Amino acid sequence: RGRATLDPSSAPALVAAVAQGGDRALWDLFDRAARRAPTPEVGIVYWNAAARFNDPALASLGLARALTADVRPQDIAAYLGRYLSNPSVAPQAWAFMKAHWDDIRPKIAVAFSEEALVGSLGNLCTTDARRDIDAFFTAHPPIRAARALERTIERIDSCVAFSQRERPSLAAWLAADAR
């Protein structure tokens, strides 16, 4: 009563956009809004948007939430995938996944969750990340996501090749444009 509401169709995009430059005070507001949400679907809008914050300390808070009952098993792959899609915190999210794999794995036993989470690793676009992902899953073979892992490695390889191929042209263009 007396509160403004967000249009449900634009709320996820708006909340995510605001989060990008957010600080701890905004994080706390998101957390409070998620906890007071009338349904889990509304609450997850705020917690998913928390993955857009660029502050590593806030990312740590959000990643730790993945191990709690706050994030439902059917939401965990998408939840962690959002952290993996944020270039500012993606390496941190991957390190978190590796460190907590034994806790995460049972939570992604829901249909297609393992595939989705492994697929999200394709956002890491470095040869070091590719080697690390390959080594990790050699030691911890995916149960249902072998094909997703192959596609992820291919996606990283394509990204790295594109970056290596286009970086010199982009640098030359930027240098010429700066003159």
Side-chain angles (χ1 to χ4, degrees):
R1 152 179 4 134
R3 289 180 37 175
T5 59
L6 291 175
D7 174 8
S9 64
S10 61
L14 178 60
V15 171
V18 169
Q20 287 182 333
D23 59 9
R24 179 60 193 254
L26 183 61
W27 172 274
D28 290 340
L29 288 173
F30 276 26
D31 186 60
R32 204 172 14 241
R35 292 183 188 285
R36 292 181 179 168
T39 66
E41 292 75 20
V42 172
I44 202 75
V45 166
Y46 294 99
W47 282 339
N48 283 343
R52 306 312 323 152
F53 282 80
N54 294 322
D55 180 340
L58 297 177
S60 290
L61 294 174
L63 290 165
R65 179 180 290 129
L67 301 178
T68 71
D70 288 340
V71 180
R72 302 175 304 178
Q74 66 264 34
D75 296 328
I76 193 167
Y79 181 81
L80 290 173
R82 283 178 176 76
Y83 284 89
L84 290 164
S85 71
N86 178 348
S88 297
V89 299
Q92 180 181 355
W94 170 231
F96 176 87
M97 279 180 55
K98 290 185 298 182
H100 298 282
W101 186 246
D102 290 340
D103 298 315
I104 292 169
R105 191 170 214 169
K107 292 176 172 262
I108 59 171
V110 184
F112 302 110
S113 288
E114 185 181 46
E115 294 91 333
L117 187 54
V118 169
S120 296
L121 294 169
N123 293 313
L124 299 168
C125 182
T126 67
T127 54
D128 288 343
R130 186 232 193 267
R131 280 192 293 273
D132 192 34
I133 290 166
D134 194 37
F136 180 81
F137 284 109
T138 296
H140 305 87
I143 296 171
R144 288 171 297 283
R147 182 66 187 121
L149 179 58
E150 289 173 18
R151 286 191 308 270
T152 295
I153 296 296
E154 290 169 5
R155 189 166 145 204
I156 294 170
D157 288 344
S158 294
C159 180
V160 168
F162 178 80
S163 179
Q164 289 172 345
R165 184 180 67 244
E166 297 302 323
R167 184 176 291 123
S169 298
L170 177 61
W173 179 78
L174 289 170
D177 193 52
R179 290 184 213 147

